[in-house]
Amino acid sequence: MCMLPLNCLFFLLHRMHIFIGFLLLPSVFSQLITHDYCVLGAGPGGLQIAKFLDEAGRDYIVFERSQGPGSFFQHFPRHRKLISINKRFTGSKNKEFNFRHDWNSLLSQDESLRFSHYSHDFFPHADDMVKYLQNFSTALNVLYDREIRNVRMKASYDAWNGHYFLLEDQTVQEYLCNVLLVATGLSVLNKLKFPGEEYTEGYETISIDPSNFTGQSVLILGRGNSAFETAENILSSTNFVHMIGRSRVRLSWSTHYVGDLRSVRLKPASGLKSKYPFLKPNYEAKYSQGLFVIGTASHAIDFRKSAGGFIHGFRYTARTVHRLMENRYHHIPWPSTHYPISQLPNVLLRRINEASGLYQMFEILVDVILLGLDSTTFEYLEEVPVGTIPTLAENTGRKIYNTGVFILIMEYGKNFSGPEKDVFHYNRAIGEAKAAWRSNFLHPVIYYYRQLPSEQQMDFRPHGWPLPRPDYIHHVVEDFLTHWTGPNSHILPLRRFLENCLQKDLRAFYSDHCFVFSLTHQTLPIFCQQVYLQNQGLKRKR
């Protein structure tokens, strides 16, 4: 376990071929180039955070040691077929919903930068990703052929975090930054140590010409996507292919973890997460304030849980980092929308059926509904990292009253998926609303707390739970097509749950009903108060 900031920061960047340390420097620097934000790496993660910084008008620079963006995809996967889906047709015109089935596009205000414009294949060719990233990076401030070889920290009262990051490239040019965003991926190859290792050849250099294996017997170490990709390529030419691994084959449709085998193909963190840096829930290095990890390496937060190590996951976590930085460094609060409480069921249903960030980063990103001072209004915050909930006010800049909070999250059934689990067992599907808590497939869950959970409550939450036990909880029953629009199975149970928590009637009424209520009752339903009395009611069709 790392006890000193220097040690942990050294490890974080050591795996990315960078040295970092503290340096006492004079107050005057020669030929020093300064930027508020420095991004290391112009892969998908680096370009995504750069896009957010660019759209916000921030002072930033991206360093890339190769001659173009996305150099990983120029070489990998070796057999050139991506396993990230590119579903062009979903039956919906809703752009947000369609991102649930687009695993390659980065987030941008430019509609032309959707990956479906670059490939029609369900599993695209890697060259299409290279071209896409080249176009995505066109207007961004990227320096190519710049390998950052040294990173140092200099204490300063003027720096945003109490210290600057001093970077040096291969030409000995120095750059000074307030914030360092590491998006270099996991660039260190997995080297095995065992007798006879010198006779093995790694995935990164193995021939992709099947004829080179004609009549040979081949042993493949590993049973993940790269191993099966290689086996499938040489199967028709070999005498025999044998694969061994340290664990049984884990299929992604069984574990619901996108990093496991896809059926289309024949202080550091501890344990299996040791290849990832030690991060706080806000994706900041544990002991180095102002150093954030973006992209594949940010998967440390949700390793073997969600999609944070892949484009369709870290495009959203990069956005959360940007929003956190906007609040911390520029006093711009987390984006939010305000609604009258009568609209709570409608707003929740829209997010449940459309939100892509919650869907892709299930159990990691959540929507937070903050009730107003008198509980007649609410404020809606989208895609907040679940681990930052106890420090929500500090991280978002939003006022929190002790009037209650709802949290919307997407979850799988607790015991449904995992290695060797039979996810196709005959009674796997739950169709009745009264048994929604037994839902197995991905489904929305709403937690209600009278007060925001504390850090201690988060630390001692039940095993396997993303949040502490709430005052009330509601599972929306699973739906095979993820369309939670059933009047009796989805909408009515949700509304009644909200009414029980709020002790308010949230039914909607036509104007003539509200008129009758106003003549016969002293207190009107909240919908009539907030809609009809504001001259916004609907007339019944005759």
Side-chain angles (χ1 to χ4, degrees):
M1 179 177 185
C2 294
M3 300 302 295
L4 298 176
L6 175 58
N7 293 342
C8 291
L9 192 54
F10 172 81
F11 174 83
L12 175 63
L13 297 177
H14 170 69
R15 286 185 171 272
M16 301 163 187
H17 298 296
I18 301 167
F19 172 77
I20 187 163
F22 288 97
L23 183 66
L24 297 177
L25 297 173
S27 57
V28 177
F29 297 89
S30 59
Q31 298 182 341
L32 192 63
I33 300 175
T34 63
H35 292 281
D36 290 339
Y37 297 91
C38 287
V39 183
L40 302 186
L47 296 180
Q48 182 65 90
I49 195 65
K51 174 65 76 171
F52 292 133
L53 292 169
D54 192 78
E55 291 175 346
R58 302 301 173 202
D59 174 29
Y60 74 96
I61 185 72
V62 181
F63 300 100
E64 171 55 48
R65 64 184 179 184
S66 300
Q67 297 180 355
S71 59
F72 173 89
F73 292 99
Q74 295 176 9
H75 306 284
F76 301 104
R78 295 298 312 285
H79 303 90
R80 313 309 290 150
K81 179 185 284 189
L82 301 178
I83 57 173
S84 47
I85 65 173
N86 177 45
K87 189 168 178 57
R88 298 166 56 222
F89 304 105
T90 67
S92 173
K93 298 291 186 181
N94 187 285
K95 297 177 182 178
E96 177 69 10
F97 173 85
N98 288 340
F99 262 110
R100 292 183 173 186
H101 306 283
D102 175 354
W103 289 12
N104 299 284
S105 295
L106 296 175
L107 303 179
S108 171
Q109 298 175 4
D110 186 350
E111 182 62 23
S112 68
L113 293 175
R114 291 293 294 268
F115 191 83
S116 57
H117 298 310
Y118 292 78
S119 174
H120 291 175
D121 296 331
F122 189 74
F123 293 107
H125 195 281
D127 290 348
D128 294 328
M129 176 60 73
V130 174
K131 181 179 179 181
Y132 173 76
L133 295 177
Q134 289 173 344
N135 289 353
F136 192 92
S137 65
T138 300
L140 301 179
N141 189 18
V142 184
L143 277 181
Y144 296 106
D145 292 316
R146 290 292 190 279
E147 183 175 3
I148 300 301
R149 295 183 173 177
N150 293 283
V151 179
R152 302 178 178 90
M153 295 171 64
K154 177 184 182 296
S156 173
Y157 291 111
D158 297 327
W160 294 355
N161 299 288
H163 55 257
Y164 288 109
F165 294 96
L166 185 66
L167 285 62
E168 182 181 283
D169 66 18
Q170 77 273 24
T171 68
V172 200
Q173 173 64 58
E174 293 184 319
Y175 307 85
L176 194 70
C177 315
N178 273 298
V179 178
L180 181 61
L181 297 147
V182 178
T184 53
L186 300 174
S187 59
V188 176
L189 299 175
N190 186 20
K191 294 293 186 181
L192 299 178
K193 298 295 183 182
F194 62 92
E197 62 174 308
E198 65 273 18
Y199 301 111
T200 65
E201 187 171 0
Y203 171 75
E204 69 280 2
T205 58
I206 195 73
S207 171
I208 60 174
D209 183 358
S211 65
N212 290 333
F213 300 88
T214 301
Q216 297 186 24
S217 296
V218 179
L219 171 64
I220 297 178
L221 303 180
R223 292 191 293 199
N225 284 303
S226 297
F228 276 86
E229 170 195 330
T230 302
E232 181 187 27
N233 182 57
I234 65 176
L235 190 61
S236 62
S237 300
T238 56
N239 171 49
F240 184 82
V241 174
H242 188 66
M243 305 175 70
I244 61 174
R246 60 188 174 190
S247 62
R248 298 189 66 177
V249 173
R250 293 187 294 255
L251 297 170
S252 62
W253 51 257
S254 176
T255 62
H256 293 114
Y257 173 61
V258 69
D260 282 336
L261 183 64
R262 312 293 295 285
S263 58
V264 68
R265 300 268 174 101
L266 283 177
K267 167 182 175 169
S270 59
L272 293 176
K273 296 172 65 174
S274 59
K275 63 181 178 180
Y276 294 103
F278 198 8
L279 303 181
K280 294 188 285 188
N282 64 350
Y283 298 92
E284 190 173 23
K286 183 70 173 179
Y287 299 103
S288 302
Q289 188 168 344
L291 191 156
F292 295 87
V293 176
I294 307 296
T296 300
S298 67
H299 198 29
I301 297 294
D302 63 298
F303 180 64
R304 300 215 65 83
K305 291 182 182 178
S306 198
F310 312 88
I311 290 176
H312 63 287
F314 65 63
R315 62 190 179 196
Y316 301 104
T317 59
R319 182 162 62 187
T320 68
V321 170
H322 177 251
R323 289 172 173 174
L324 290 165
M325 295 190 303
E326 286 289 289
N327 176 61
R328 179 190 293 183
Y329 301 124
H330 307 289
H331 309 293
I332 297 178
W334 195 279
S336 69
T337 47
H338 293 78
Y339 299 92
I341 199 66
S342 59
Q343 296 302 310
L344 181 55
N346 293 334
V347 174
L348 273 173
L349 284 168
R350 178 180 60 82
R351 287 292 293 169
I352 285 171
N353 285 286
E354 295 179 2
S356 59
L358 300 184
Y359 186 89
Q360 304 288 22
M361 289 302 296
F362 55 88
E363 299 191 16
I364 301 299
L365 298 183
V366 301
D367 283 2
V368 180
I369 298 95
L370 302 173
L371 298 180
L373 189 59
D374 57 359
S375 296
T376 61
T377 61
F378 67 93
E379 188 174 15
Y380 203 101
L381 283 65
E382 298 179 1
E383 297 170 12
V384 176
V386 68
T388 66
I389 289 297
T391 54
L392 188 69
E394 174 188 347
N395 286 312
T396 65
R398 295 298 176 182
K399 179 73 172 177
I400 300 174
Y401 302 100
N402 290 324
T403 51
V405 57
F406 291 96
I407 297 177
L408 169 63
I409 190 170
M410 304 291 279
E411 298 180 12
Y412 281 97
K414 292 291 186 290
N415 300 309
F416 175 52
S417 58
E420 303 180 39
K421 290 288 184 71
D422 179 13
V423 296
F424 298 112
H425 59 86
Y426 76 97
N427 61 344
R428 67 188 181 275
I430 304 299
E432 297 184 9
K434 63 182 180 181
W437 61 276
R438 293 176 48 231
S439 291
N440 288 311
F441 194 61
L442 191 66
H443 63 282
V445 184
I446 298 96
Y447 292 70
Y448 173 73
Y449 300 92
R450 294 188 178 94
Q451 291 186 334
L452 203 66
S454 65
E455 291 192 58
Q456 185 180 36
Q457 288 175 314
M458 282 291 291
D459 291 339
F460 292 97
R461 66 189 184 274
H463 176 71
W465 285 49
L467 287 161
R469 291 189 184 277
D471 294 295
Y472 299 103
I473 189 170
H474 177 71
H475 289 256
V476 180
V477 69
E478 63 188 0
D479 184 83
F480 178 72
L481 297 176
T482 65
H483 293 162
W484 292 282
T485 56
N488 295 321
S489 57
H490 301 127
I491 299 175
L492 181 59
L494 173 61
R495 196 200 78 212
R496 287 179 172 169
F497 165 75
L498 299 174
E499 290 175 335
N500 288 334
C501 294
L502 297 170
Q503 293 298 296
K504 286 180 169 58
D505 183 350
L506 296 178
R507 289 178 297 172
F509 298 94
Y510 286 108
S511 297
D512 55 341
H513 284 167
C514 289
F515 176 72
V516 172
F517 282 133
S518 66
L519 297 177
T520 58
H521 293 71
Q522 292 183 342
T523 302
L524 293 179
I526 193 70
F527 182 89
C528 294
Q529 294 178 38
Q530 297 183 337
V531 179
Y532 171 72
L533 294 183
Q534 302 301 318
N535 295 320
Q536 297 177 6
L538 294 175
K539 294 182 179 180
R540 184 192 301 272
K541 290 184 178 180
R542 299 295 183 181

